[in-house]
């Protein structure tokens, strides 16, 4: 197992050095393999290496290596740990394939690999809850797969599947591109599957929600962002801004620790999609890298907390953990503040720049209000989480296992902890070479800080409140504005229609075709008075003659 960890960490270092060299010398590498040529259509596979793809490969390798190291001790005693490792490695390989390919066919292979392996990881514990969550995840992602399949069919008209090399606007292809990205990155109305994917083991959640599955749609938008400028940008801005608002609002009233962090991932994905819809590719990629670093650390800290609290995930039963586990609490504290955008942690360098860019851009007031309210909610649920888990007194139930923090689990988080504090400053100077000139009034410049300050007060106030909701309010909040309830109703109708088709297809049509032909054949045999046994003997004789002719 350690061999895979060493390989991934070594691959991360090598990829980082190569990306620096590529960016310095302004070079990119292009590997082309033509599988088949039919008339004017060329079936080919391409690997495209540039500094953006190599940074992302380095990031995925780094996080997956430390997640595997964390998993050895987190899942100690699991009888199928080898199977878990191979699934995670397949998951990482599928992400590599999607990152390095501009060809829409090989993107689909990596895309489908992510969906299939994520299903295997979500149902890893083999309970009814994990089974239902896995089915919702894989069915939602199939919608995005259908979008990519439709793009493959439409690009036949262009003569090639290399979408990156076509700059002519094709509105139908752009629509399918946005559909695929929104399903994989869980934008509305496909947001239901992302909190349900928390049924997977916590190391998988750390990998999925930081740098692999949910970021695949964002990475696709970064790669093919040039298509959005003519047609789909305004629609994507409205969808992503409302996704941010919904995720931030629901997270303030959620009590499941992992689900709160999953909703924060959804909120940050909406922020990335919003800035990409305005054409700021480098800002979106910069925030994607920063978010992956502190979100993976946040999930690792929550996994240790869940272990120490005897598999309890309800934050109402936690409290005062900073006294017992100070180092894990310190890492959780800094990663949460980095998520909020506290100066001068890693999240500040990307998030504050994005917020100030929103104030400079000409966008509609609805999206602007949604984005800034979502920023306030991000700060408020982070403060509520820190207060209830670490600072506040022990609540209701003292179900805590006092044991030492595992050395190797903490060691696997140290590098990510370093990058959560200093990563923004390092990456800002190394990679983000496009200098943005921000020209704002004094009130607009201070406005982001005022929003964060109000979020701190709101989060502190809401952490001491116990809300008693009615049934309809619980459905509205726990089911993500009732979206899960609506989709369940739609799925019931779809399953009912598919069952009717199944009965027709496997019953009536089969009876007409198969049974009808069989009856006609028997009638013909009876008409010519041919015995079936006699016919079998004739066939055996002919087979014997053919065998003799082949041998001699």
């Amino acid at each position: 197992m350690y061999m895979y960890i060493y390989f991934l960490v070594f691959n991360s270092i090598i990829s980082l050095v190569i990306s620096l060299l590529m960016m310095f010398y302004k070079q990119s590498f292009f590997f082309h393999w033509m599988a088949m040529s039919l008339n004017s259509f060329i079936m080919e596979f391409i690997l495209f290496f540039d500094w953006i793809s190599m940074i992302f490969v380095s990031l995925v390798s780094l996080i997956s290596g430390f997640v595997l190291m964390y998993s050895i001790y987190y899942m100690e005693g699991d009888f199928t740990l080898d199977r878990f490792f191979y699934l995670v490695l397949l998951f990482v390989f599928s992400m590599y394939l999607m990152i390095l390919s501009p060809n829409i066919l090989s993107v689909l292979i990596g895309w489908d690999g992510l969906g299939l392996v994520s299903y295997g990881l979500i149902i890893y514990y083999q309970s009814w809850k994990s089974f239902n969550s896995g089915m919702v995840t894989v069915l939602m992602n199939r919608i995005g797969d259908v979008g990519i399949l439709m793009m493959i069919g439409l690009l036949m008209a262009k003569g090639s599947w290399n979408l990156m090399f076509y700059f002519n606007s094709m509105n139908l292809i752009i629509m399918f591109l946005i559909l695929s990205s929104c399903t994989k990155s869980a934008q509305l109305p496909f947001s239901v599957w992302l909190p349900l994917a928390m049924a997977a083991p916590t190391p998988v959640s750390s990998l999925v929600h930081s740098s692999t599955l949910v970021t695949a749609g964002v990475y696709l938008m970064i790669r093919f962002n040039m298509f959005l400028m003519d047609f789909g940008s305004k629609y994507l801005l409205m969808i992503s801004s409302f996704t941010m608002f919904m995720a931030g609002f629901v997270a303030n009233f959620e009590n499941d620790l992992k689900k709160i962090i999953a909703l924060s991932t959804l909120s940050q994905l909406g922020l990335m999609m919003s800035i990409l819809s305005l054409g700021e590719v480098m800002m979106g990629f910069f925030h994607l890298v920063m978010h992956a670093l502190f979100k993976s650390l946040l999930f690792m800290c929550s996994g240790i907390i869940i272990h120490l609290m005897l598999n309890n995930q309800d934050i109402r039963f936690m409290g005062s953990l900073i006294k017992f586990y100070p180092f894990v609490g310190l890492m959780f504290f800094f990663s949460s503040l980095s998520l909020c955008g506290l100066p001068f942690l890693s999240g500040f360098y990307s998030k504050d720049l994005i917020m100030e860019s929103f104030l400079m851009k000409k966008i509609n007031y609805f999206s602007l209000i949604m984005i800034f309210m979502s920023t306030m909610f991000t700060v408020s649920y982070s403060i509520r989480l820190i207060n209830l888990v670490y600072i506040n007194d022990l609540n209701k139930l003292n179900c805590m296992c006092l044991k030492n923090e595992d050395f190797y689990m903490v060691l696997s988080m140290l590098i990510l902890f370093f990058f959560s504090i200093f990563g923004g400053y390092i990456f800002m100077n190394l990679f983000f070479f496009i200098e943005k000139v921000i020209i704002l009034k004094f009130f607009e410049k201070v406005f982001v800080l005022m929003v964060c300050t109000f979020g701190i007060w709101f989060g502190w106030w809401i952490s001491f409140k116990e809300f008693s909701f009615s049934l309809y309010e619980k459905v509205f909040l726990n089911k993500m504005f009732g979206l899960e309830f609506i989709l369940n109703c739609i799925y019931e109708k779809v399953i009912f229609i598919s069952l009717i088709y199944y009965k027709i297809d496997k019953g009536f049509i089969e009876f007409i075709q198969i049974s009808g032909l069989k009856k006609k054949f028997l009638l013909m045999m009876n008409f010519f008075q041919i015995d079936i046994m006699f016919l079998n003997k004739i066939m055996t004789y002919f087979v014997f003659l053919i065998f003799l002719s082949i041998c001699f």
Side-chain angles (χ1 to χ4, degrees), residues 1-7 69 72-73 85 408:
M1 297 299 176
Y2 286 101
M3 180 186 70
Y4 299 121
I5 297 170
Y6 294 146
F7 171 75
M69 182 177 173
I72 292 174
Y73 303 97
F85 264 69
Y408 289 100

Side-chain angles (χ1 to χ4, degrees), residues 470-514:
S470 65
L471 179 62
Y472 296 107
E473 289 168 342
K474 286 179 181 177
V475 169
F476 183 75
L477 291 173
N478 292 337
K479 303 296 183 183
M480 302 183 72
F481 285 14
L483 187 63
E484 187 178 338
F485 181 75
I486 295 167
L487 287 174
N488 284 337
C489 295
I490 294 172
Y491 276 143
E492 284 180 5
K493 298 290 187 292
V494 171
I495 291 169
F496 178 72
I497 294 168
S498 64
L499 283 174
I500 293 174
Y501 176 74
Y502 175 80
K503 289 177 181 177
I504 292 173
D505 188 27
K506 296 295 182 183
F508 185 65
I509 296 174
E510 184 177 352
F511 176 76
I512 289 175
Q513 292 180 345
I514 308 301

Side-chain angles (χ1 to χ4, degrees), residues 109-127:
I109 296 171
W111 194 271
D112 255 347
L114 286 171
L116 184 64
V117 179
S118 67
Y119 175 71
L121 288 169
I122 290 169
I123 65 168
Y124 182 79
Y125 286 137
Q126 299 181 16
S127 62

Side-chain angles (χ1 to χ4, degrees), residues 163-178:
L163 182 62
M164 187 179 282
F165 305 139
Y166 295 121
F167 293 96
N168 296 331
S169 61
M170 296 176 67
N171 291 347
L172 197 56
I173 286 181
I174 296 167
M175 187 178 73
F176 286 125
L177 183 68
I178 293 173

Side-chain angles (χ1 to χ4, degrees), residues 124-296:
Y124 182 79
Y125 286 137
Q126 299 181 16
S127 62
W128 278 109
K129 182 183 177 183
S130 60
F131 169 73
N132 291 329
S133 302
M135 285 305 296
V136 170
T137 301
V138 77
L139 288 174
M140 280 284 186
N141 283 309
R142 289 308 295 167
I143 299 172
D145 298 342
V146 168
I148 290 187
L149 288 169
M150 296 295 287
M151 288 167 64
I152 289 172
L154 289 169
L155 283 171
M156 295 278 286
K158 286 283 187 179
S160 176
W161 285 320
N162 300 322
L163 182 62
M164 187 179 282
F165 305 139
Y166 295 121
F167 293 96
N168 296 331
S169 61
M170 296 176 67
N171 291 347
L172 197 56
I173 286 181
I174 296 167
M175 187 178 73
F176 286 125
L177 183 68
I178 293 173
L179 175 69
S180 302
S181 299
C182 287
T183 50
K184 192 65 82 173
S185 292
Q187 303 298 299
L188 281 174
F190 311 109
S191 305
V192 172
W193 70 265
L194 192 135
L196 292 177
M198 292 296 100
T202 305
V204 175
S205 303
S206 177
L207 189 60
V208 162
H209 286 257
S210 61
S211 59
T212 49
L213 181 67
V214 296
T215 59
V218 178
Y219 187 79
L220 202 67
M221 287 284 101
I222 289 169
R223 275 301 191 201
F224 306 124
N225 192 265
M226 73 287 285
F227 296 104
L228 292 176
M229 291 302 101
D230 296 332
F231 174 68
S233 58
K234 53 187 176 182
Y235 304 111
L236 186 61
L237 178 63
M238 295 290 287
I239 291 168
S240 56
S241 59
F242 196 72
T243 304
M244 279 183 70
F245 175 78
M246 179 202 68
F249 183 78
V250 171
N252 278 287
F253 300 98
E254 184 60 49
N255 294 314
D256 191 319
L257 177 62
K258 285 179 68 176
K259 197 171 180 181
I260 292 172
I261 304 174
L263 289 168
S264 77
T265 302
L266 184 56
S267 178
Q268 298 306 305
L269 290 171
L271 179 63
M272 295 173 209
M273 285 290 196
S274 299
I275 196 64
L276 288 174
S277 66
L278 300 178
E280 297 288 349
V281 180
M282 286 298 105
M283 281 190 197
F285 182 69
F286 185 41
H287 189 59
L288 178 64
V289 173
M290 291 299 101
H291 171 262
L293 291 169
F294 59 73
K295 187 51 65 71
S296 56

Side-chain angles (χ1 to χ4, degrees), residues 22 82 105 142 235 258 291 337 373 439 510 534 539:
M22 281 182 172
D82 292 346
L105 183 65
R142 289 308 295 167
Y235 304 111
K258 285 179 68 176
H291 171 262
L337 292 180
M373 287 189 71
I439 302 172
E510 184 177 352
F534 177 69
M539 292 297 295

